[in-house]
């Protein structure tokens, strides 16, 4: 085997990587009520962020803006170098969204829902069918695949919506309170799914009220308060959930 000359082994000086999701000075107002005020947030490729914040603090609004659903009055939002809202279609192709609205057709079966959304993403044929079967199994719905979604519990529909969000193998996952309505077993399944998605290199931004999970699962925690990111912390710096709960109480009081 050839050995490398010293010049070939020398590492070039690394520039800090550009954030995959970058919001600068973002302002969003509803009916003269400012919800986001000059908000700045940088999320690196492969990071897993949990976003905490009180009800009505603007978390869902922020997620929707990043998903290209809605328009900010001020500031810039870039996702993977694409500018929103101008290049929203490019961004959406890279992004899976699990929102409060589960975006499922009640009268279609679980499998039919996934087939429908596959076609929207231009996924067809054997590869698409194989991915659908694998995802149904992964979210524990293989045995209910042929039942209409209207017969599903909230937790089952939530799991199907997570499978839908993963169909097109997105680089980015946005999840808005994905643990709501899940029982212990389904929540543990979601923990595992998110851990896998993170290990696979996907970038994740998850809104949650689960302080204990936020202290444990993600790579970073942020708190939204008074329209801006009022607190950011890497997971290594969080000693335990009680500490994070105390910071949350301080920042949101
Ligand atoms: P969170 O997800 O943190 O609970 P939201 O982003 O849903 O908060 O909402 C933030 C604020 O913006 C709330 O006061 C809410 O009433 C308001 N808001 C959100 N969406 C709309 C809308 N489409 N029209 C008017 N007001 C809205
Ligand atoms: Mg919300």
């Amino acid at each position: 085997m050839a050995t490398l000359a010293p010049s070939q082994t020398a590492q070039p000086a690394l520039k800090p990587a550009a954030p995959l999701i970058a919001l600068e000075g973002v302002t969003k107002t509803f009916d003269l009520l400012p919800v986001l005020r000059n908000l700045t947030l940088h999320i690196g490729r492969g990071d897993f962020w949990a976003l905490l914040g009180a009800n009505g603090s603007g978390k869902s609004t922020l997620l929707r803006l990043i998903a290209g659903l809605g328009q900010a009055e001020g500031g810039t939002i870039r996702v993977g170098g694409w500018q929103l809202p101008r290049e929203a279609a490019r961004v959406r192709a890279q992004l899976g969204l699990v929102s409060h609205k589960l975006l499922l057709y009640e009268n279609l079966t679980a499998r039919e829902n996934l087939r429908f959304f596959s076609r929207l993403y231009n996924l067809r044929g054997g590869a698409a069918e194989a991915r659908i079967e694998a995802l149904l199994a992964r979210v524990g719905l293989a045995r209910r695949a042929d039942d209409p979604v209207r017969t599903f519990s909230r937790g089952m529909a939530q799991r199907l919506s997570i499978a839908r969000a993963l169909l097109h193998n997105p680089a980015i996952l946005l999840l808005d309170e994905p643990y709501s309505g899940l029982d212990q077993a389904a929540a543990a399944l979601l923990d595992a799914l998110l851990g896998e998605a993170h290990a696979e290199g996907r970038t994740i931004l998850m809104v949650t009220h689960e302080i204990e999970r936020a202290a444990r699962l993600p790579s970073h925690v942020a708190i939204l308060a008074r329209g801006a990111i009022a607190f950011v912390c890497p997971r290594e710096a969080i000693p335990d959930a009680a500490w994070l709960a105390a910071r949350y109480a301080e920042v949101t009081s």
Side-chain angles (χ1 to χ4, degrees), residues 78-125:
R78 298 181 74 87
V79 177
W82 307 111
Q83 181 98 39
L84 287 171
R86 191 159 44 86
E87 295 168 310
R90 308 301 288 264
V91 170
R92 272 189 230 121
Q94 305 294 325
L95 184 146
L97 174 66
V98 178
S99 68
H100 298 297
K101 291 197 190 108
L102 295 179
L103 309 172
L104 297 168
Y105 290 96
E106 296 268 297
N107 289 329
L108 297 184
T109 68
R111 187 181 279 112
E112 286 165 349
N113 264 280
L114 295 186
R115 281 191 185 136
F116 174 83
F117 288 101
S118 290
R119 285 195 289 273
L120 284 191
Y121 291 119
N122 268 321
L123 309 170
R124 284 161 209 276

Coordinates of all heavy atoms in Angstrom, one line a residue, residues 78-125:
R78 N -33.1 30.6 5.9 CA -32.4 29.8 4.9 C -32.4 28.4 5.4 O -32.0 28.1 6.6 CB -31.0 30.3 4.6 CG -30.9 31.7 4.1 CD -29.5 32.1 3.8 NE -29.0 31.4 2.6 CZ -29.1 31.8 1.3 NH1 -29.8 33.0 1.1 NH2 -28.7 31.1 0.3
V79 N -32.7 27.4 4.6 CA -32.6 26.0 4.9 C -31.8 25.3 3.9 O -32.2 25.3 2.7 CB -34.0 25.4 5.0 CG1 -33.9 23.9 5.3 CG2 -34.9 26.1 6.1
G80 N -30.6 24.8 4.3 CA -29.7 24.1 3.3 C -29.3 25.1 2.2 O -29.1 24.6 1.1
G81 N -29.2 26.4 2.5 CA -28.8 27.3 1.5 C -30.0 27.9 0.6 O -29.8 28.8 -0.1
W82 N -31.2 27.2 0.7 CA -32.3 27.7 0.0 C -33.0 28.8 0.8 O -33.0 28.8 2.1 CB -33.4 26.6 -0.2 CG -32.9 25.4 -0.9 CD1 -32.7 24.2 -0.3 CD2 -32.4 25.2 -2.2 NE1 -32.2 23.3 -1.2 CE2 -32.0 23.9 -2.4 CE3 -32.3 26.1 -3.3 CZ2 -31.5 23.4 -3.6 CZ3 -31.8 25.6 -4.5 CH2 -31.4 24.3 -4.6
Q83 N -33.5 29.8 0.1 CA -34.1 31.0 0.8 C -35.6 30.8 0.9 O -36.2 30.5 -0.2 CB -33.7 32.2 0.0 CG -34.3 33.5 0.5 CD -33.2 34.3 1.3 OE1 -32.1 34.3 0.9 NE2 -33.6 34.8 2.4
L84 N -36.1 31.0 2.1 CA -37.6 30.9 2.2 C -38.2 32.3 2.2 O -37.6 33.2 2.7 CB -38.0 30.2 3.5 CG -37.7 28.7 3.4 CD1 -37.9 28.1 4.8 CD2 -38.7 28.0 2.5
P85 N -39.4 32.5 1.7 CA -40.3 31.5 1.2 C -40.1 31.2 -0.3 O -40.8 30.4 -0.9 CB -41.7 32.1 1.4 CG -41.5 33.6 1.3 CD -40.1 33.8 1.9
R86 N -39.2 32.0 -0.9 CA -39.0 31.9 -2.4 C -38.8 30.5 -2.9 O -39.3 30.0 -3.9 CB -37.9 32.8 -2.8 CG -37.7 33.1 -4.3 CD -36.9 34.4 -4.5 NE -35.7 34.5 -3.7 CZ -34.5 34.0 -4.0 NH1 -34.4 33.3 -5.1 NH2 -33.5 34.1 -3.2
E87 N -37.9 29.7 -2.2 CA -37.5 28.4 -2.6 C -38.2 27.3 -1.8 O -37.6 26.3 -1.5 CB -36.0 28.3 -2.7 CG -35.5 29.3 -3.7 CD -33.9 29.4 -3.6 OE1 -33.4 29.7 -2.5 OE2 -33.3 29.3 -4.6
A88 N -39.4 27.6 -1.3 CA -40.1 26.7 -0.4 C -40.2 25.2 -1.0 O -40.1 24.3 -0.3 CB -41.5 27.2 0.0
A89 N -40.5 25.1 -2.3 CA -40.6 23.8 -2.9 C -39.4 23.0 -2.7 O -39.4 21.8 -2.4 CB -41.0 23.9 -4.3
R90 N -38.2 23.6 -2.9 CA -36.9 22.9 -2.8 C -36.7 22.5 -1.3 O -36.2 21.4 -1.1 CB -35.7 23.8 -3.2 CG -35.9 24.5 -4.5 CD -36.0 23.5 -5.6 NE -34.8 22.8 -5.9 CZ -33.9 23.1 -6.9 NH1 -34.2 24.1 -7.7 NH2 -32.8 22.4 -7.1
V91 N -37.1 23.3 -0.4 CA -36.9 23.0 1.0 C -37.8 21.9 1.4 O -37.4 20.9 2.1 CB -37.2 24.3 1.9 CG1 -37.3 23.9 3.4 CG2 -36.1 25.3 1.6
R92 N -39.1 21.9 1.0 CA -40.1 20.9 1.4 C -39.7 19.5 0.9 O -40.0 18.5 1.5 CB -41.5 21.2 0.9 CG -42.2 22.1 1.9 CD -43.6 22.3 1.6 NE -43.9 23.7 1.6 CZ -44.4 24.4 0.6 NH1 -44.7 23.8 -0.5 NH2 -44.7 25.7 0.8
A93 N -39.0 19.4 -0.2 CA -38.5 18.1 -0.7 C -37.5 17.5 0.2 O -37.3 16.3 0.2 CB -37.9 18.3 -2.1
Q94 N -36.8 18.3 1.1 CA -35.8 17.8 2.0 C -36.3 17.7 3.4 O -35.5 17.4 4.3 CB -34.7 18.9 2.0 CG -34.1 19.3 0.7 CD -33.4 18.1 0.1 OE1 -32.8 17.3 0.8 NE2 -33.4 18.0 -1.2
L95 N -37.6 17.9 3.6 CA -38.0 18.1 4.9 C -39.3 17.2 5.2 O -40.2 17.1 4.4 CB -38.3 19.6 5.0 CG -38.8 20.3 6.2 CD1 -38.2 21.7 6.2 CD2 -40.2 20.4 6.3
G96 N -39.3 16.6 6.4 CA -40.5 15.9 6.8 C -41.1 16.6 8.0 O -40.4 17.0 8.9
L97 N -42.4 16.8 8.0 CA -43.1 17.6 9.1 C -44.1 16.8 9.8 O -45.0 16.1 9.1 CB -43.7 18.8 8.4 CG -44.6 19.7 9.3 CD1 -43.8 20.4 10.4 CD2 -45.3 20.8 8.5
V98 N -44.0 16.7 11.1 CA -45.1 16.1 11.9 C -45.7 17.2 12.7 O -45.1 17.7 13.6 CB -44.5 15.0 12.8 CG1 -45.6 14.4 13.7 CG2 -43.8 13.9 12.0
S99 N -46.9 17.6 12.3 CA -47.5 18.8 13.0 C -48.7 18.3 13.8 O -49.0 17.1 13.9 CB -47.9 19.9 12.0 OG -48.9 19.4 11.2
H100 N -49.4 19.3 14.5 CA -50.6 18.9 15.2 C -51.6 18.3 14.3 O -52.3 17.3 14.6 CB -51.2 20.2 15.9 CG -50.4 20.9 16.8 ND1 -50.0 20.3 18.0 CD2 -49.8 22.1 16.8 CE1 -49.2 21.1 18.7 NE2 -49.1 22.2 18.0
K101 N -51.8 19.0 13.1 CA -52.6 18.4 12.1 C -51.9 17.2 11.5 O -50.8 17.4 11.0 CB -52.9 19.4 11.0 CG -53.8 20.5 11.5 CD -54.4 21.3 10.4 CE -55.1 22.6 10.9 NZ -54.3 23.8 10.5
L102 N -52.5 16.0 11.6 CA -51.7 14.9 11.2 C -51.5 14.7 9.7 O -50.8 13.8 9.2 CB -52.2 13.6 11.9 CG -52.1 13.7 13.4 CD1 -52.7 12.4 14.0 CD2 -50.7 13.8 13.8
L103 N -52.3 15.4 8.9 CA -52.2 15.4 7.4 C -52.4 13.9 6.9 O -51.5 13.4 6.2 CB -50.8 15.9 7.0 CG -50.4 17.3 7.5 CD1 -48.9 17.6 7.1 CD2 -51.3 18.4 7.0
L104 N -53.5 13.3 7.4 CA -53.8 12.0 6.9 C -55.2 11.9 6.4 O -56.0 12.7 6.8 CB -53.6 11.0 8.0 CG -52.3 10.8 8.7 CD1 -52.3 10.0 9.9 CD2 -51.3 10.1 7.7
Y105 N -55.5 11.0 5.5 CA -56.9 10.9 5.0 C -57.6 9.8 5.8 O -57.2 8.6 5.7 CB -56.8 10.5 3.5 CG -56.4 11.7 2.7 CD1 -55.1 11.9 2.3 CD2 -57.3 12.7 2.4 CE1 -54.7 13.0 1.6 CE2 -56.9 13.9 1.7 CZ -55.6 14.0 1.3 OH -55.2 15.1 0.6
E106 N -58.6 10.2 6.5 CA -59.3 9.3 7.4 C -59.9 8.1 6.8 O -60.0 7.1 7.4 CB -60.5 10.1 8.1 CG -60.0 11.3 8.9 CD -59.9 10.9 10.4 OE1 -60.9 10.5 10.9 OE2 -58.7 10.9 10.9
N107 N -60.4 8.3 5.5 CA -61.1 7.2 4.9 C -60.2 6.3 4.1 O -60.6 5.2 3.6 CB -62.2 7.7 3.9 CG -63.3 8.3 4.8 OD1 -63.6 7.8 5.9 ND2 -64.0 9.3 4.2
L108 N -58.9 6.6 4.0 CA -57.9 5.7 3.4 C -57.3 4.9 4.5 O -57.2 5.3 5.6 CB -56.8 6.5 2.7 CG -57.2 7.4 1.5 CD1 -56.0 8.0 0.9 CD2 -58.0 6.6 0.5
T109 N -56.8 3.7 4.1 CA -56.1 2.8 5.1 C -54.7 3.4 5.3 O -54.3 4.3 4.6 CB -56.0 1.4 4.6 OG1 -55.1 1.4 3.4 CG2 -57.3 0.8 4.1
A110 N -54.0 2.9 6.3 CA -52.7 3.3 6.6 C -51.8 3.2 5.4 O -51.1 4.1 5.0 CB -52.1 2.5 7.8
R111 N -51.9 2.0 4.7 CA -51.0 1.7 3.6 C -51.4 2.7 2.4 O -50.5 3.2 1.7 CB -51.1 0.3 3.1 CG -50.2 -0.1 2.0 CD -50.3 -1.5 1.6 NE -49.6 -2.5 2.5 CZ -50.1 -3.4 3.2 NH1 -51.5 -3.5 3.3 NH2 -49.4 -4.2 4.0
E112 N -52.7 2.9 2.2 CA -53.2 3.8 1.1 C -52.7 5.2 1.4 O -52.3 5.9 0.4 CB -54.7 3.7 1.0 CG -55.2 2.5 0.4 CD -56.7 2.3 0.6 OE1 -57.3 3.0 1.4 OE2 -57.3 1.4 -0.1
N113 N -52.7 5.6 2.6 CA -52.2 7.0 2.9 C -50.7 7.1 2.5 O -50.3 8.1 1.9 CB -52.3 7.3 4.4 CG -53.6 8.0 4.8 OD1 -53.6 9.3 4.6 ND2 -54.6 7.3 5.2
L114 N -49.9 6.1 2.9 CA -48.5 6.2 2.6 C -48.3 6.1 1.1 O -47.4 6.8 0.5 CB -47.7 5.1 3.3 CG -47.7 5.2 4.8 CD1 -46.8 4.2 5.5 CD2 -47.3 6.6 5.3
R115 N -49.1 5.3 0.4 CA -49.0 5.2 -1.1 C -49.3 6.6 -1.7 O -48.6 7.1 -2.6 CB -50.0 4.2 -1.7 CG -49.4 2.8 -1.6 CD -50.3 1.8 -2.4 NE -49.8 0.5 -2.1 CZ -50.6 -0.6 -1.9 NH1 -51.9 -0.4 -1.9 NH2 -50.0 -1.8 -1.7
F116 N -50.4 7.2 -1.2 CA -50.8 8.5 -1.7 C -49.7 9.5 -1.6 O -49.3 10.2 -2.5 CB -52.1 9.0 -1.0 CG -52.5 10.4 -1.4 CD1 -53.2 10.6 -2.5 CD2 -52.1 11.5 -0.6 CE1 -53.6 11.9 -2.9 CE2 -52.4 12.8 -1.0 CZ -53.2 13.0 -2.1
F117 N -49.1 9.6 -0.4 CA -48.0 10.6 -0.1 C -46.7 10.2 -0.9 O -46.0 11.1 -1.3 CB -47.8 10.8 1.3 CG -48.9 11.5 2.0 CD1 -49.8 10.9 2.7 CD2 -49.0 12.9 1.8 CE1 -50.9 11.6 3.3 CE2 -50.0 13.6 2.4 CZ -51.0 13.0 3.1
S118 N -46.5 8.9 -1.1 CA -45.3 8.5 -1.9 C -45.5 9.1 -3.3 O -44.5 9.6 -3.9 CB -45.3 7.0 -2.1 OG -45.0 6.4 -0.9
R119 N -46.7 9.0 -3.9 CA -46.8 9.5 -5.3 C -46.6 11.0 -5.3 O -46.0 11.6 -6.2 CB -48.2 9.2 -5.8 CG -48.3 7.7 -6.2 CD -49.5 7.4 -7.1 NE -50.8 7.4 -6.3 CZ -51.3 6.4 -5.6 NH1 -50.6 5.2 -5.6 NH2 -52.4 6.6 -4.9
L120 N -47.0 11.7 -4.2 CA -46.8 13.2 -4.2 C -45.3 13.4 -4.2 O -44.9 14.5 -4.7 CB -47.3 13.8 -2.9 CG -48.8 14.0 -2.8 CD1 -49.1 14.9 -1.5 CD2 -49.4 14.7 -4.0
Y121 N -44.5 12.5 -3.6 CA -43.0 12.7 -3.6 C -42.4 12.0 -4.8 O -41.2 11.9 -4.9 CB -42.4 12.1 -2.3 CG -42.8 12.9 -1.1 CD1 -43.4 12.3 0.0 CD2 -42.3 14.2 -1.0 CE1 -43.7 13.0 1.1 CE2 -42.6 15.0 0.2 CZ -43.3 14.3 1.2 OH -43.6 15.1 2.3
N122 N -43.3 11.6 -5.8 CA -42.8 10.9 -7.0 C -42.0 9.6 -6.7 O -41.1 9.2 -7.4 CB -41.8 11.9 -7.8 CG -42.6 12.6 -8.8 OD1 -43.5 12.1 -9.4 ND2 -42.2 13.9 -8.9
L123 N -42.4 9.0 -5.6 CA -41.8 7.6 -5.3 C -42.8 6.6 -5.8 O -44.0 6.6 -5.4 CB -41.6 7.5 -3.8 CG -40.9 8.6 -3.1 CD1 -41.0 8.4 -1.6 CD2 -39.4 8.6 -3.5
R124 N -42.4 5.7 -6.6 CA -43.3 4.7 -7.2 C -42.6 3.4 -7.3 O -41.4 3.3 -7.0 CB -43.6 5.1 -8.7 CG -44.7 6.2 -8.7 CD -44.7 6.8 -10.1 NE -45.1 8.2 -10.0 CZ -46.3 8.6 -10.0 NH1 -47.3 7.8 -10.0 NH2 -46.6 9.9 -9.8
G125 N -43.3 2.3 -7.6 CA -42.7 1.0 -7.9 C -42.3 0.3 -6.7 O -42.7 0.6 -5.6

